[in-house]
Structure formats: structure tokens, C-alpha cells
Amino acid sequence: MEGIFAIWQRDITKFFRDKARLFGSFTMPILFLLIFGGGMSGTMENMMIGSMGGEAGGADFNYVEFVFPGIVAMTLLMTSIFSALSIIEDKDFGYMKEILVSPISRVSIAVGKMLGAATVATIQGIILFLLIPLIGLTYDFMSLIQVIPFMFLLASALSGLGLLFASVIRSTQGFQMTVQILVMPMIFLSGALFPINNMPAWMNFIVKINPVTYGVDVMKKIMIDVDTLSPVIREAMGLNLSVFGRQVTFFEEILFILVFAIILVLLATMSFRKANA
């Protein structure tokens, strides 16, 4: 446990000392929020209301309310995965080699790195909550409190993915290019920015195996309180996520993210062991 805590504490300290990283990590989410939430909200709302066929309740659709949980999830994704870049930097400076030859177990290394990245990502997601009154939204305070533990779980799973890539890629340039190719499809094929209904079969398959899809869906269900929405709006917003024709439950989505996180930590641990062999 001491090894896990030491690695976790080091990553948190590095993050808060790096002001440029702290500021730059908000650029993309805020940019997407301004473009999709502000500039395109009217167009998207008209399209969504039109897709509802004039059904009652269509006028209650708020695209900014729909997209904000997705922006938070996007922040978790980008911060969690790119935080693993520190592993490659540690390799270059020799710090990772010192850790690998120390008595600290490989599991502790992977878990410590994962918790550090997940904590940083969760903090950044919480900071985005400060924008809620500025963009004219109102979320229930208890809903925001309830979504935080899941934000940490999702960030842990995604940081595990970053750790796996960082443990096998040797250069920062290669890591950034590889992860960038991975991150953008995960964002756009998750329901974060627009509903994921009526997609081609091959694209729908990617949507269903994308862990961010389930993370975004859970966050929207908690923050938007979908039980109060009409079935027409829920269908138009893509909040009736189903796999093989069966609607996925809230707890099944959480279980999927949990299992995904455990598998990736185990894979990252095996990779660390191979690196030290």
C-alpha cells in the first residue's frame, strides 16, 4: 500500500505543479462546449425536435443539458489517457527503471499510476462543474455528488488503457499519435456530443464495445434524471442503450466499466513485468 500511495501522491503533485498542463487540459473541453453547446445548440435542438415528429415534450429538449455530461466524460477520457505519458517520460529520465527494480510489486506500480491519473481526471471533471451556472444550466446538487464516484471509476478504466499503451510504446511522439487516433473515435462514437441512434451496423458495433459509451450513458442518466423525461425524448436522445436488442441496465453499465478497468490493470501489470524481464 505504501508503494501505491507514493506513486499516486507523486503524480498528483506533478500535476498541480505543472501550471501549463493544468491550463491546457481544459482547452479542448471548453472549446467543444462553446462550439457544440453554444454555437450549434439551436441547430441540434431543431433537428432533434424534428426527429420527434412534433410529439409533445419535444420543445423541452435542451441540447446543452444533453451535451454537458458528454463534455465532462470527454475530459475524463483525455486526461486519463494522456496522463500515462508520464510513464514514457519517467522511462527517459530513468525513474521508471528505478521503480521496476525496487521491491514494489508490478501490480502496485500499475494501480498507483492508475489511481493518480484517475484522481487528476476526476478533479478536472469536477472543476468543469463550475461552468454549469455560466452556461445557464441547473443540475440537482445531489446528482452532481452522486456522479463523482462513477467519474472516478470511469477515469480509472480509461487510465488503465493509457497505461497499457504507455508500457509498450517507447517514444512520446509515438504515444501521442497513437492515442490521438484512438481518442477521437472514442469521443464521437460514445454519444457524448450527439445521439448514437440509427448508425450503420459496423459503426454500431464500435459504439457498443466502446467503454466511453457506457460511461457517458451512466453520467447522463444520473445528471439529467432521465426518469422524468418522456419516452419520445429519451429515444431521440439515445438514452435507451441496448445490446443485442436488450436494453442495458444502469448496474450492467457500471459492471462493464469495472471489469474493463480490472482487465486493463492486469494487462498493464503483465506489460510492466515484461519490461523488467
Side-chain angles (χ1 to χ4, degrees):
M1 289 298 295
E2 292 183 2
I4 294 176
F5 180 78
I7 295 174
W8 170 82
Q9 185 182 42
R10 178 178 180 271
D11 285 354
I12 298 297
T13 303
K14 282 181 62 179
F15 172 74
F16 283 106
R17 286 180 177 177
D18 192 345
K19 305 302 181 184
R21 178 186 171 193
L22 181 62
F23 174 78
S25 58
F26 291 104
T27 303
M28 186 68 74
I30 293 178
L31 181 61
F32 271 81
L33 187 60
L34 291 175
I35 294 176
F36 285 91
M40 299 182 62
S41 59
T43 302
M44 292 299 297
E45 287 174 9
N46 289 334
M47 291 176 58
M48 294 298 297
I49 292 173
S51 69
M52 297 177 196
E55 294 286 343
D60 295 329
F61 175 76
N62 186 333
Y63 179 70
V64 180
E65 183 182 31
F66 167 82
V67 81
F68 184 78
I71 297 295
V72 175
M74 185 179 73
T75 303
L76 298 177
L77 169 64
M78 298 182 67
T79 304
S80 298
I81 292 185
F82 280 101
S83 290
L85 184 62
S86 64
I87 292 180
I88 300 178
E89 295 173 348
D90 289 340
K91 289 179 182 178
D92 293 338
F93 289 103
Y95 178 78
M96 182 56 64
K97 184 176 181 179
E98 294 179 2
I99 295 179
L100 290 173
V101 298
S102 69
I104 302 176
S105 69
R106 304 299 173 265
V107 175
S108 296
I109 296 173
V111 172
K113 283 289 185 181
M114 181 191 72
L115 293 179
T119 302
V120 169
T122 303
I123 292 172
Q124 289 190 290
I126 294 173
I127 293 176
L128 284 181
F129 289 169
L130 299 176
L131 298 176
I132 290 177
L134 301 179
I135 56 180
L137 296 179
T138 55
Y139 289 105
D140 181 68
F141 179 75
M142 288 306 300
S143 296
L144 298 180
I145 296 298
Q146 292 170 1
V147 82
I148 291 176
F150 178 76
M151 289 168 56
F152 184 81
L153 174 61
L154 177 61
S156 298
L158 297 174
S159 63
L161 182 62
L163 288 176
L164 181 60
F165 278 98
S167 63
V168 297
I169 298 176
R170 297 182 179 275
S171 68
T172 56
Q173 294 83 358
F175 177 84
Q176 291 174 340
M177 182 175 295
T178 302
V179 169
Q180 194 66 40
I181 295 174
L182 178 70
V183 164
M184 298 313 294
M186 291 181 72
I187 292 173
F188 287 107
L189 296 179
S190 67
L193 303 176
F194 48 82
I196 49 177
N197 300 332
N198 304 318
M199 287 189 170
W202 67 270
M203 192 175 292
N204 188 57
F205 173 76
I206 298 176
V207 167
K208 298 304 170 59
I209 63 174
N210 182 6
V212 185
T213 299
Y214 302 96
V216 169
D217 194 61
V218 169
M219 291 180 63
K220 288 180 177 178
K221 287 178 179 177
I222 296 175
M223 297 175 67
I224 299 177
D225 190 15
V226 297
D227 292 335
T228 62
L229 301 176
S230 69
V232 177
I233 297 179
R234 291 178 62 176
E235 180 65 26
M237 294 175 68
L239 294 174
N240 294 324
L241 185 63
S242 62
V243 176
F244 300 119
R246 176 181 174 275
Q247 186 168 343
V248 182
T249 67
F250 180 85
F251 293 104
E252 287 172 344
E253 292 177 312
I254 294 179
L255 180 62
F256 177 87
I257 297 297
L258 180 61
V259 172
F260 184 82
I262 294 173
I263 291 175
L264 285 178
V265 169
L266 293 176
L267 291 176
T269 300
M270 294 172 60
S271 182
F272 282 131
R273 286 176 175 172
K274 183 178 179 180
N276 192 42

